[in-house]
Amino acid sequence: MGDTGGQAVSPRQEPTPMPRLALYALAVCVLSVAAAVVSFAQGSWLGIVWVLLAGLTSNMAWYYLRRARAGRAGSGSVTG
């Protein structure tokens, strides 16, 4: 009973692209690391600001990635 003879079709799951804000944060992180390297190579202490910006944007990228994964999983929580 209940068997219609058809096979269960499961659609192929495509990988979802990285969230846009995470990509932007990652791009800023890479650029700020490059700016820090150039700044320190020229002997300027302004590179410290670039290192701090790189740290901030890397944390932002991780946050937006985790938020997107949690949203896809159906749990509205970002922590844990």
Side-chain angles (χ1 to χ4, degrees):
M1 249 189 176
D3 185 16
T4 58
Q7 294 179 348
V9 177
S10 63
R12 223 174 84 193
Q13 206 171 13
E14 296 292 323
T16 57
M18 187 183 283
R20 188 176 306 166
L21 287 174
L23 278 176
Y24 291 154
L26 189 62
V28 172
C29 181
V30 168
L31 290 174
S32 61
V33 167
V37 168
V38 169
S39 182
F40 282 131
Q42 292 178 350
S44 173
W45 287 97
L46 188 63
I48 293 173
V49 175
W50 292 114
V51 169
L52 292 174
L53 183 65
L56 175 71
T57 55
S58 69
N59 286 339
M60 288 174 59
W62 278 114
Y63 171 78
Y64 287 122
L65 279 174
R66 288 188 60 188
R67 185 172 132 186
R69 286 182 187 163
R72 278 182 286 189
S75 70
S77 175
V78 174
T79 59

